[in-house]
Structures are given as C-alpha cells and as structure tokens.
Amino acid sequence: MTIDVAVVGGGISGLALAYDLKRYGRRIAVLERRALTGGNAVSERIGGFLMEHGPTTVNTTVKAAADFSRDLGLDREQCGLGADARRRYLVKQGALRGLPANPLGIFTSSYLSLRARLRLLAEVGIPRRQDTGTPGEETVAQFCTRRFGREFTERVVDPFVGGVYAGCAAELSASAVFPKLIDMERRFGSLTRGALHLRRAEDRLPGGRLCSWRTGIGALPKALSTDLGGVLHTGVVARRIQPVAGGFMIDAGSSGRFKARAVVLATQPRVAAQLLENVDQDAAEAAGRISAPPLAVVFFGYRRNQVEHSLDGFGFLTPASEGRAVTGALFSSTMFPGRAPDGSVAITGYFGGARAPHLGAQAPETLVDLAREEFRDLLGARGEPLVARVRHWPLGLPQYGLGHGEVTATLDELGHRVPGLFVVGNYLRGVSTADCLGVARETAKRVDKFIAKSFGEA
Ligand SMILES: Cc1cc2nc3c(=O)[nH]c(=O)nc-3n(C[C@H](O)[C@H](O)[C@H](O)COP(=O)(O)OP(=O)(O)OC[C@H]3O[C@@H](n4cnc5c(N)ncnc54)[C@H](O)[C@@H]3O)c2cc1C
C-alpha cells in the first residue's frame, strides 16, 4: 500500500509534523530508529528524582508551543519556572557570581568591570553596521563585540551561547542565531534604542516564558505518540530513499520497505545528509555542512545538606576563559516542582559541545568524576551523590555557523528540485523545542498542500 507521507525520525519535530498530518486526514507512517519516540526529549524518573536527558524547558511564548500544549490537553500539567529560579549565575575567577534578576542587573552587579559596564551604555552611540559599509557575515562574537564590547561578549554572550547552543560565539553566525537582534540594529540603529522602543510599544522583546510539565518535557512526545498510536514504527531504521513512480520507496532493511507519496526527513542533519546522498546532492552537501559536536549530560541528586550553595537560581554558566570542564549546570529542583524528593536537590551539568567536543564523548565514570569535582569547587557539593546518571548525545546540537543562511536556503528549495521531499528539524530555524514545533507545523501545511495538488485531492 502507498501511504501519503512517511516521516523519518520520531523526535519532537517528526511527531509534531505527523500529528498535524493526521489532523489533515493523511495516511502516514513515522519511522523511528530507537525503541522509544521523542528523540532527545527524554524525561526519566530515577528514585524520586526526575532527570531531563535533553531539553528542560519549552518557551510557551512561541505560538506553536502554546498551541500544541493546549491541543494535547497538557496545559493543566504545565508548570512555570519557580520564583527562586530567576537569578542567573556566571562563574568568575572560580566562583559563582549571581546576577540580579532584572534587565539592569548587569549594571548594578560587579560581575563586569566598570569599564565594560560603561562600554555597554555606549552601545546606543555605535553606528549601524550598514552605515559603516563593512561587508560579509559576522560571527556572534564579532557582532556582540562591535555593539557591546569584548568583555561583555567573552563573559556573558559566549557562556550564554555555550549553554543554549552548545556553541562558541567565535564560530556561530550572528544572523542565524540572533536574527531578531540583527533586525533591531537595522531598524533602530542600536539594540538599546530598539529595546526601549519595543518596550514602549509593548511589542515582544526577544526572550520568552520557560515552562515544562509536571512529569517533565517527556510529557510532550508521550502525548503526541499516544495520539499517533499505530502509525508509529519504532526500532525501524530508514537506510535509503529512492524516488519511484508516484512517490518514494524507503528501504528500512529487515523492517521492510515503505512506499509514500511524500517523505519528510526529521532526523539529525548528519543522518539527513546520508539519506539525501542519492536523491539530491546539493541538499546532502548542505545538511552535511552542519556540525553537531558530542554533548554529555550529567545528572546528580544530592541530599540538601550535601550542597553548601543555596541553589537559588536557574543555574550557572561558565565563560570559556575560566578553563572549566563544565559549560554550565541547571539547578533542576529549583526550576520546577517535583524534580527531587523532599530534603534533596537535583543538579544537571553539561559537558562537550563546540567548546570541548572531546569531553562530550568521555566515558560515564570520567564524566561523573569531572562533575563531582566541578560541583564540589563551585557549589560546595560533598560526598557521594544519591543518584548519578550520564546521557551521551553523540550528535549533540547543530551549530549554526557562518553560511548557515545558504544551507537553509538550499534545504528550503529541496521541494522544487525533488517534489515531495521535505526536511524538518532543529538545524533549520532554531534549536529550541518550540522552534522545532513551529517548523513542523508550518511544514505539515506545505506537505498537505503538496499531496492535495499533486494527487488531485481537495
Ligand atoms: C542536552 C540537550 C538539552 C537541550 N535543552 C533544551 C531546552 O532546555 N529547551 C529547548 O527548547 N531545547 C533544548 N534542546 C534542544 C531541543 O531539545 C532539540 O533541538 C529538539 O528536541 C530536537 O528535536 P528533533 O525532533 O528535531 O531532533 P531529534 O530529537 O534529534 O530527533 C531525531 C530523531 O530521528 C531519529 N532517527 C535518526 N536517524 C534515523 C533513521 N535513519 N531512521 C529512523 N529514525 C531515525 C532519531 O532516533 C531521533 O529520535 C536541548 C537539546 C539537547 C541535546
């Protein structure tokens, strides 16, 4: 039987897209190589603790994220960040420095030198890039140094992109990672002026409302998978895609073959590159250009009295210049309720990514030792954790490097060169769960239109 759409990959992107296609009445199949769906959105109960192996938060100010939460009946399970989780810590000279939880906090804190804080104030007078006629694409580090100065970039921006993108400011493309900030510079000449203008106009500033669900982020793929039911084929690895009359044939080895009118690749970029190889060289080459260095997540549960630090915040980030192994950590049990039993706390540390890919691939014992050292030095954590769990992500997070715009343009045009073949995922328009949901929703509409137009249906 020929189905309408085969979706390769049952992470958040593939599941959300399939959910919408099912609503459109399409006959679909989702092929997922692992035994469980959800991709890197995995929540696990360990004793009374709740570990997030991948994402911890979802930004519900993004419409698609809010809509999926409502449509799946997850709103009543939703939890916002705890009141204590607003403070952010950054590491300076081997110690945590808290930034007050307000936009002016950076000026009142002594985390940055006085000179760096004055340089921040001078941003309003820095000319627009177009006005200086400088050609070429900027990295995040170049853009932020130009607007805000070197110290702010090294001590605030680089740790931030290390935490959110597992990337380095010196390698990521400013226009791909911060399109809204680039646009603010273009429109208002200065980000300070732009922020003030948007605030006055009560427009939305870049940022968001970070949420989760009572049982963790895993609630989202679980709800999507429950809805999809029998169309999910787990333990099925798509090995090759072949254009054939009336659509495509997917070879899934010993799991058989699937014939579909359209195919959506919802895998990591490296896998998409391999599957596109014999279908469209340009798209294969574009997806293959996106690196995704290994990343490791180390989760510890401690008795409260084992940790000196009050953990009164979201977590901490480490600037590269501090030379630490850990790029950052979340105070998981402060962020959301139910992450640790009474009298205990949960901390999640991140290792690897573009800053130190080799660390993301270390053995679990090595990572546990490293995390214990880091949490002892920075948080005063003593003794054996009650629970310790390591999760490796060999294909960590996609890096939006220079030239990312060309990569996405080539992938966007795939449908013109090979009608019926689409790609979705976290390497296109944002790495966050919410961005993946938005791309999936928008792509589902295009896939549905393609089927209707090409196969003569309403
Ligand atoms: C450690 C970590 C922390 C994060 N934290 C946050 C956060 O706090 N907030 C946030 O918004 N975002 C966060 N993210 C980002 C966000 O979680 C991801 O970008 C998003 O979940 C990606 O979903 P996806 O479906 O596009 O890709 P994936 O989750 O990678 O799913 C791809 C799926 O394709 C399957 N697959 C691969 N090859 C094949 C094949 N040949 N055949 C069949 N199936 C195949 C894989 O098994 C996988 O299930 C984090 C990511 C990581 C890794």
Side-chain angles (χ1 to χ4, degrees):
M1 181 185 83
T2 304
I3 55 172
D4 290 323
V5 190
V7 181
V8 179
I12 293 292
S13 299
L15 293 175
L17 177 118
Y19 174 89
D20 276 3
L21 288 173
K22 189 179 163 196
R23 291 286 160 293
Y24 294 139
R26 298 298 170 195
R27 287 164 305 154
I28 51 177
V30 179
L31 316 183
E32 167 52 50
R33 72 179 303 151
R34 295 208 194 102
L36 287 178
T37 53
N40 55 33
V42 180
S43 307
E44 185 191 6
R45 277 263 167 229
I46 311 168
F49 293 89
L50 181 73
M51 172 183 179
E52 296 291 11
H53 290 229
T56 296
T57 57
V58 61
N59 180 356
T60 50
T61 51
V62 174
K63 186 174 178 329
D67 290 350
F68 270 107
S69 178
R70 187 199 55 225
D71 297 350
L72 291 162
L74 288 173
D75 276 357
R76 58 182 177 274
E77 303 249 333
Q78 213 179 77
C79 38
L81 279 181
D84 283 348
R86 295 186 59 213
R87 176 185 280 259
R88 313 277 162 137
Y89 285 93
L90 284 154
V91 176
K92 186 175 184 184
Q93 290 161 353
L96 257 54
R97 298 289 199 93
L99 294 187
N102 65 66
L104 296 178
I106 198 78
F107 296 104
T108 53
S109 147
S110 62
Y111 175 71
L112 293 178
S113 68
L114 181 60
R115 192 189 161 94
R117 284 180 271 159
L118 290 173
R119 174 64 180 81
L120 282 181
L121 292 174
E123 194 274 342
V124 73
I126 303 290
R128 223 187 295 250
R129 186 154 189 259
Q130 299 91 301
D131 299 343
T132 63
T134 321
E137 189 181 356
E138 281 182 304
T139 63
V140 166
Q142 286 166 336
F143 172 74
C144 293
T145 303
R146 182 168 60 74
R147 298 245 44 110
F148 297 114
R150 184 169 305 282
E151 188 176 327
F152 180 77
T153 302
E154 287 177 2
R155 300 217 66 97
V156 178
V157 178
D158 191 53
F160 172 77
V161 296
V164 176
Y165 301 91
C168 294
E171 291 167 13
L172 295 170
S173 153
S175 54
V177 172
F178 295 140
K180 287 182 182 155
L181 299 187
I182 300 284
D183 186 52
M184 268 163 84
E185 180 188 37
R186 191 184 50 74
R187 285 170 63 200
F188 303 103
S190 134
L191 304 194
T192 314
R193 223 176 292 138
L196 292 172
H197 177 93
L198 294 182
R199 182 168 288 240
R200 268 199 306 273
E202 292 185 354
D203 201 344
R204 214 162 63 74
L205 286 168
R209 180 170 176 268
L210 300 179
C211 294
S212 182
W213 294 280
R214 271 210 308 274
T215 51
I217 286 288
L220 177 62
K222 189 171 170 211
L224 289 165
S225 302
T226 304
D227 181 89
L228 288 165
V231 305
L232 295 177
H233 301 259
T234 52
V236 174
V237 184
R239 300 189 184 283
R240 193 179 154 87
I241 296 169
Q242 191 70 42
V244 293
F248 301 86
M249 186 64 81
I250 299 182
D251 175 3
S254 57
S255 303
R257 281 146 53 99
F258 295 79
K259 186 168 181 215
R261 290 168 160 181
V263 170
V264 185
L265 300 181
T267 66
Q268 301 89 342
R270 193 200 291 176
V271 180
Q274 286 157 3
L275 291 171
L276 286 164
E277 192 70 37
N278 69 315
V279 190
D280 187 87
Q281 270 299 318
D282 289 348
E285 198 265 327
R289 274 172 58 193
I290 303 169
S291 71
L295 191 58
V297 181
V298 182
F299 178 86
F300 282 174
Y302 287 106
R303 280 191 307 279
R304 183 67 197 87
N305 60 12
Q306 286 182 273
V307 185
E308 260 169 42
H309 195 278
S310 55
L311 305 181
D312 56 341
F314 192 89
F316 67 80
L317 292 168
T318 60
S321 57
E322 291 287 320
R324 306 209 71 98
V326 70
T327 50
L330 296 177
F331 301 158
S332 310
S333 49
T334 311
M335 290 175 73
F336 296 116
R339 269 40 178 174
D342 285 349
S344 312
V345 291
I347 305 169
T348 313
Y350 298 86
F351 293 82
R355 192 190 287 178
H358 64 285
L359 287 178
Q362 292 294 315
E365 315 79 71
T366 312
L367 285 160
V368 166
D369 288 347
L370 277 174
R372 283 186 66 170
E373 271 173 43
E374 294 287 45
F375 296 166
R376 186 195 59 216
D377 290 357
L378 294 168
L379 302 171
R382 306 273 166 225
E384 196 74 27
L386 298 171
V387 303
R389 183 67 57 94
V390 174
R391 178 65 188 247
H392 286 101
W393 295 110
L395 302 178
L397 279 172
Q399 300 298 301
Y400 290 29
L402 293 179
H404 192 76
E406 290 144 39
V407 166
T408 47
T410 307
L411 291 167
D412 285 346
E413 287 155 15
L414 174 62
H416 299 300
R417 299 189 300 271
V418 189
L421 189 54
F422 301 82
V423 287
V424 292
N426 61 3
Y427 56 99
L428 297 168
R429 305 256 180 288
V431 297
S432 76
T433 307
D435 290 329
C436 291
L437 291 169
V439 169
R441 180 141 275 181
E442 178 258 324
T443 309
K445 282 192 197 129
R446 289 198 288 126
V447 176
D448 182 58
K449 265 198 197 136
F450 166 80
I451 302 275
K453 193 165 156 233
S454 311
F455 296 91
E457 297 165 18

